[in-house]
Amino acid sequence: MNEDYHVPTSAPVYECAYCGRPFACERFRALHRGLEHASDLDDDEVERFRDAYREEAESIGMFRLKALAALVLVYFGLLMIYATL
């Protein structure tokens, strides 16, 4: 996989020490390292990956709950509109 990454010069860059791929934040780099370079990580990097993964899972779970609530509100809102017609 030979990909080019264009990063603005003013943006902070967090590069993967194993493949050189740039990331916008340290959390994304930790997730990448844990998923792509798991066998090369030391104990501290594994712990950072686990923390980032846990944080990402919580964020996705919260997004799913909010999306479900929005769908329920839209559904019942449309149901009430239809019932009044």
Side-chain angles (χ1 to χ4, degrees), residues 57-83:
E58 289 173 5
S59 178
I60 289 172
M62 185 58 68
F63 171 77
R64 287 178 177 168
L65 285 174
K66 289 178 181 179
L68 177 62
L71 286 173
V72 167
L73 287 173
V74 168
Y75 173 78
F76 282 108
L78 290 174
L79 185 65
M80 291 299 151
I81 291 171
Y82 179 74

Side-chain angles (χ1 to χ4, degrees), residues 12-83:
V13 177
Y14 301 92
E15 286 190 5
C16 176
Y18 302 105
C19 65
R21 183 175 174 183
F23 294 93
C25 69
E26 193 169 334
R27 183 173 57 115
F28 295 157
R29 182 180 62 183
L31 287 170
H32 163 76
R33 284 181 176 177
L35 295 173
E36 298 295 325
H37 310 290
S39 62
D40 300 325
L41 301 181
D42 61 19
D43 291 338
D44 290 336
E45 290 174 323
V46 169
E47 189 61 34
R48 276 182 265 172
F49 166 70
R50 288 181 180 158
D51 290 341
Y53 188 85
R54 197 174 307 116
E55 184 180 326
E56 189 77 10
E58 289 173 5
S59 178
I60 289 172
M62 185 58 68
F63 171 77
R64 287 178 177 168
L65 285 174
K66 289 178 181 179
L68 177 62
L71 286 173
V72 167
L73 287 173
V74 168
Y75 173 78
F76 282 108
L78 290 174
L79 185 65
M80 291 299 151
I81 291 171
Y82 179 74

